[in-house]
C-alpha cells in the first residue's frame, strides 16, 4: 500500500529562504515528507528538475464586489478563482467591503454568501472599513479580528469609501490594540477632486486625463500622511498599490526612521504607463484605468528597484475586473463617459506570477527566493496565514506550482480564464507559465486544462499578522493609548 497520496519526484524547490532538490510527499492535502528517494505515492509526478514553488498568494484582489454605479465586476468567486488557479495562485485574499451605513458583520456575511461553494482555491478576507462608527471601532472590529479577519483596508480617497483623517487614526488605534494590519489606499482625495473639476471644465474628459487627475504628488502626500498617522499611533501599516517614485521616497524615509511601514506594488506599475491610457482610439485607454494610475518608464524602473532592494514586501494583482464592452463594464455610464465615471480597476489575477517570473526572475533582476517571498511567503506572513500557506515545509498545505520555463509565449486574453473581455497585458511576452497547480494536493491546472471544482476552496481564518505585533517603544510613541 502506498504511504502517500502523491509524490512529486526530483523537484527543484525554492522557498523564500532556500533552494533545494527533493521529492515532495503529500498526504491528506499536506506536505508530509521532503527527502531523497521517498516511498511510492498512489500518484506520482516527475518534476524532472523543474522549479516547484509555493502556490501564489494574491493578497489584494476584488471579486464580486458591488459598485456604487451601474458597473458590475465581471468575476465572481467561480471565475476569479479559476483564473487564479490557471495562473498558479492557490490562495486569494479578496475584500469584504462595508457599504457606508452597513455593519461590518453584514458585509462579512454577504461575502461568505458570495464565496461559499464557489471558490476552487482557498481564500481569506480582508475587511474594507468605510464607516468607522463607535460600534465598528469598539465592538465589531475587535470581534471580527478574533474570528480571523485580521487585516483591513482603508481608503483616503473615493467618496463612497474614504475615511476622514480622524477616522483613519481611530482605525489605526484599533489595529494597534488588537495586533491587526491596516492596508492603506493612499491618494489625496481633495487634490484629485480639484484637478478633476478643472480638467472637465476645460473639456479634458478622455481616459488619458485620468493620469493627470491622479498625479504622483497626490499619492506622495497621502502616503506621507498615512505614515505620520501610523507613527503617531505607533502601529505598523501597509501601503497598497504603490505606483511611483515619490511614494517610494516616503517609504524610504519611513524606513530610515525605523518605522514599520510595509508596502505592496502590482504588475500595472511595471508593465503599463500613462501612454496606455492615451491610446489613439480614445476609448481603448479605459482598459488601463486604475488608481493610482500607471506612470512612466522611469517610474517603472523605480518600482522594479523597490522590488529588488526590499522596499516592497508583497506583489499583488489588485484584480478589479470590469469588462470593456457591454452595459455594465468600463462604459456603464455611457459611451462618452468622462474618465471620472469609468470604473477603476483592471484584471490581473492570472497573469501576475508569469509576468514577474518572466521579467523579474528570468532576466536576473530578482532571485527565485525573492520571487517566492514577494508572491507567497511574505503575503502569508503579513496576513496571518503562515506557515500553513506560503512555503514548502513539512506540515504546510500542499499548495504547489510546477513551472514551465524557457517557453516563448505572448499573453493573450483568449487564453485566460477570467470573465473579462480583455487583458491590459495583451501581447506582452512571457517565458514561464505554471505547468501544474496543486491546491492542497489536488490538481487544479495541468497541461492547459482547468481541473478545479467549484466549492473545493476553503475559507481560511487568519491569525494575527506575523510582523505586526506592536513592540513597546519606551522612548517614544504614545504608549498610553493601549
Ligand atoms: N483601485 C483601487 O483602489 N481598487 C480597485 C481598483 C483600482 O484601480
Ligand atoms: Zn485601492
Ligand atoms: Zn484594490
Amino acid at each position: 500500500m502506498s504511504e502517500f497520496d502523491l509524490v512529486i519526484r526530483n523537484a527543484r524547490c525554492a522557498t523564500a529562504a532556500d533552494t533545494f532538490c527533493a521529492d515532495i510527499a503529500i498526504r491528506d492535502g499536506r506536505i508530509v515528507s521532503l527527502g531523497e528517494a521517498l516511498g511510492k505515492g498512489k500518484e506520482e509526478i516527475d518534476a524532472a528538475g523543474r522549479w516547484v514553488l509555493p502556490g501564489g498568494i494574491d493578497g489584494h484582489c476584488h471579486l464580486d464586489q458591488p459598485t456604487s454605479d451601474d458597473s458590475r465586476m465581471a468575476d465572481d468567486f467561480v471565475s476569479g478563482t479559476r483564473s487564479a488557479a490557471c495562473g498558479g495562485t492557490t490562495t486569494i485574499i479578496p475584500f469584504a467591503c462595508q457599504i457606508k451605513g452597513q455593519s461590518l458583520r453584514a458585509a462579512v456575511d454577504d461575502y461568505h454568501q458570495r464565496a461559499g461553494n464557489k471558490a476552487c482555491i482557498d481564500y481569506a478576507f480582508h475587511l474594507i472599513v468605510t464607516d468607522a462608527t463607535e460600534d465598528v471601532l469598539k465592538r465589531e472590529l475587535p470581534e471580527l479580528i478574533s474570528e480571523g479577519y485580521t487585516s483591513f483596508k482603508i481608503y483616503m480617497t473615493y467618496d463612497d469609501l474614504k475615511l476622514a483623517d480622524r477616522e483613519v487614526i481611530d482605525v489605526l488605534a484599533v489595529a494597534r490594540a488588537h495586533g491587526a494590519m491596516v492596508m492603506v489606499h493612499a491618494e489625496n482625495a481633495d487634490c484629485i477632486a480639484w484637478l478633476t473639476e478643472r480638467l472637465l471644465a476645460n473639456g479634458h474628459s478622455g481616459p488619458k486625463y485620468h493620469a493627470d487627475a491622479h498625479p504622483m504628488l497626490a499619492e506622495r502626500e497621502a502616503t506621507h500622511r498615512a505614515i505620520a498617522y501610523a507613527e503617531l499611533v505607533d502601529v505598523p501599516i501597509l501601503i497598497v498599490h504603490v505606483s511611483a517614485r515619490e511614494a517610494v521616497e516616503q517609504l524610504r524615509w519611513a524606513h530610515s526612521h525605523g518605522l514599520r511601514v510595509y508596502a505592496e506594488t502590482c504588475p500595472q506599475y511595471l508593465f503599463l504607463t500613462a501612454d496606455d491610457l492615451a491610446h489613439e482610439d480614445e476609448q481603448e485607454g479605459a482598459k488601463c484605468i486604475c488608481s493610482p494610475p500607471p506612470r512612466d518608464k522611469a517610474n517603472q524602473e523605480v518600482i522594479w528597484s523597490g522590488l529588488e532592494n526590499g522596499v516592497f514586501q508583497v506583489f499583488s494583482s489588485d484584480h478589479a475586473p470590469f469588462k470593456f464592452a457591454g452595459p455594465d463594464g468600463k462604459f456603464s455610464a455611457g459611451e462618452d463617459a468622462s474618465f471620472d465615471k469609468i470604473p477603476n480597476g483592471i484584471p490581473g489575477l492570472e497573469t501576475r506570477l508569469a509576468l514577474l517570473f518572466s521579467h523579474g526572475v528570468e532576466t536576473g533582476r530578482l532571485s527565485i527566493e525573492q520571487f517566492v517571498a514577494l508572491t507567497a511567503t511574505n503575503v502569508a506572513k503579513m496576513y496571518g496565514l503562515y506557515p500553513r500557506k506560503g512555503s514548502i515545509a513539512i506540515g504546510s498545505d500542499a499548495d504547489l506550482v510546477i513551472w514551465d520555463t524557457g517557453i516563448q509565449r505572448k499573453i493573450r486574453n483568449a487564453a485566460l480564464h477570467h470573465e473579462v473581455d480583455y487583458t491590459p497585458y495583451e501581447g506582452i511576452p512571457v517565458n514561464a507559465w505554471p505547468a501544474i497547480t496543486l491546491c492542497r494536493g489536488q490538481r487544479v491546472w495541468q497541461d492547459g486544462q482547468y481541473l478545479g471544482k467549484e466549492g473545493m476552496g476553503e475559507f481560511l481564518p487568519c491569525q494575527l499578522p506575523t510582523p505586526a505585533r506592536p513592540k513597546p517603544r519606551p522612548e517614544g510613541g504614545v504608549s498610553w493609548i493601549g
Side-chain angles (χ1 to χ4, degrees):
M1 241 210 16
S2 311
E3 227 185 312
F4 307 120
D5 296 332
L6 174 65
V7 177
I8 304 172
R9 302 272 172 210
N10 309 309
R12 195 174 161 211
C13 301
T15 67
D18 297 301
T19 61
F20 56 94
C21 287
D23 295 345
I24 305 172
I26 296 163
R27 193 169 51 228
D28 297 330
R30 293 188 313 131
I31 297 170
V32 292
S33 192
L34 295 166
E36 289 177 0
L38 296 180
K40 276 201 102 31
K42 287 182 201 130
E43 288 182 54
E44 304 228 343
I45 297 172
D46 188 358
R50 284 190 287 177
W51 283 119
V52 179
L53 309 184
I57 305 177
D58 198 330
H60 185 159
C61 56
H62 305 261
L63 294 178
D64 202 11
Q65 194 172 303
T67 59
S68 55
D69 53 22
D70 290 332
S71 63
R72 191 175 57 87
M73 286 197 169
D75 284 317
D76 62 7
F77 282 79
V78 174
S79 61
T81 58
R82 175 183 70 211
S83 173
C86 299
T89 288
T90 51
T91 299
I92 54 165
I93 318 181
F95 297 90
C97 180
Q98 178 192 30
I99 298 165
K100 278 192 202 281
Q102 187 188 37
S103 72
L104 275 177
R105 176 70 62 187
V108 167
D109 291 347
D110 179 22
Y111 281 85
H112 274 291
Q113 288 291 323
R114 290 168 191 271
N117 297 322
K118 292 216 174 84
C120 80
I121 59 173
D122 291 352
Y123 58 97
F125 284 118
H126 308 292
L127 308 174
I128 293 178
V129 181
T130 62
D131 206 356
T133 61
E134 200 172 321
D135 193 43
V136 163
L137 296 168
K138 293 220 167 100
R139 187 183 62 80
E140 285 210 293
L141 275 174
E143 274 178 22
L144 287 164
I145 292 167
S146 73
E147 291 171 30
Y149 308 88
T150 58
S151 47
F152 20 100
K153 184 176 178 188
I154 57 174
Y155 286 81
M156 299 171 84
T157 187
Y158 293 128
D159 287 344
D160 51 337
L161 301 171
K162 72 172 190 256
L163 297 184
D165 284 16
R166 170 61 199 259
E167 295 170 317
V168 171
I169 297 169
D170 284 338
V171 169
L172 291 173
V174 174
R176 180 194 154 85
H178 298 275
M181 177 62 81
V182 179
M183 309 156 75
V184 184
H185 179 128
E187 287 186 289
N188 180 308
D190 286 325
C191 291
I192 294 167
W194 187 83
L195 285 164
T196 301
E197 209 176 284
R198 263 147 197 80
L199 285 162
L200 296 179
N202 285 289
H204 299 321
S205 62
K208 74 172 180 176
Y209 296 105
H210 175 74
D212 298 311
H214 292 248
M216 260 203 275
L217 86 81
E219 185 185 15
R220 178 237 299 167
E221 187 284 326
T223 302
H224 178 84
R225 200 160 16 111
I227 290 169
Y229 295 157
E231 182 181 14
L232 173 76
V233 174
D234 190 17
V235 66
I237 52 167
L238 186 142
I239 309 287
V240 292
H241 46 52
V242 172
S243 73
R245 173 181 52 79
E246 294 189 19
V248 168
E249 287 166 358
Q250 296 304 314
L251 297 168
R252 287 192 193 288
W253 178 87
H255 298 159
S256 72
H257 285 73
L259 301 172
R260 282 167 298 158
V261 176
Y262 303 105
E264 170 204 81
T265 193
C266 314
Q268 47 269 42
Y269 308 117
L270 299 177
F271 296 97
L272 304 178
T273 69
D275 288 347
D276 295 307
L277 295 168
H279 199 279
E280 56 185 32
D281 173 354
E282 227 189 48
Q283 279 201 332
E284 282 279 309
K287 290 182 176 176
C288 297
I289 286 194
C290 58
S291 288
R295 310 290 182 182
D296 60 13
K297 290 265 172 218
N299 278 292
Q300 288 183 346
E301 278 308 305
V302 172
I303 300 300
W304 273 114
S305 302
L307 286 167
E308 286 161 39
N309 59 33
V311 169
F312 297 111
Q313 290 70 45
V314 296
F315 184 73
S316 315
S317 68
D318 197 8
H319 181 86
F322 297 97
K323 286 189 177 169
F324 182 62
D328 51 11
K330 286 280 187 183
F331 290 95
S332 57
E335 293 249 310
D336 297 324
S338 52
F339 67 83
D340 59 315
K341 299 286 185 296
I342 295 173
N344 284 203
I346 58 176
L349 260 173
E350 192 166 347
T351 45
R352 171 184 73 120
L353 295 174
L355 282 169
L356 193 69
F357 198 116
S358 302
H359 296 265
V361 179
E362 294 286 90
T363 57
R365 292 196 87 140
L366 299 175
S367 69
I368 191 83
E369 293 93 337
Q370 281 177 304
F371 174 83
V372 173
L374 287 160
T375 58
T377 315
N378 291 352
V379 194
K381 289 181 175 172
M382 200 65 76
Y383 301 125
L385 294 173
Y386 186 82
R388 176 171 173 187
K389 302 291 187 186
S391 194
I392 300 179
I394 293 168
S396 294
D397 281 356
D399 291 351
L400 298 164
V401 176
I402 303 173
W403 281 83
D404 268 345
T405 53
I407 58 169
Q408 295 215 324
R409 195 180 290 176
K410 285 188 172 163
I411 292 183
R412 297 286 176 217
N413 196 56
L416 301 180
H417 299 79
H418 57 201
E419 287 293 336
V420 187
D421 54 357
Y422 77 96
T423 168
Y425 308 111
E426 186 77 27
I428 296 185
V430 284
N431 51 18
W433 197 273
I436 300 177
T437 307
L438 300 174
C439 283
R440 280 184 279 106
Q442 302 288 317
R443 295 169 213 233
V444 290
W445 166 254
Q446 179 164 6
D447 301 331
Q449 294 293 318
Y450 171 64
L451 304 172
K453 289 193 184 58
E454 287 178 32
M456 276 173 62
E458 286 179 6
F459 169 67
L460 304 164
C462 295
Q463 309 291 310
L464 289 175
T466 312
R469 293 190 188 97
K471 289 197 203 95
R473 276 208 317 187
E475 80 292 0
V478 275
S479 54
W480 40 264
I481 63 171

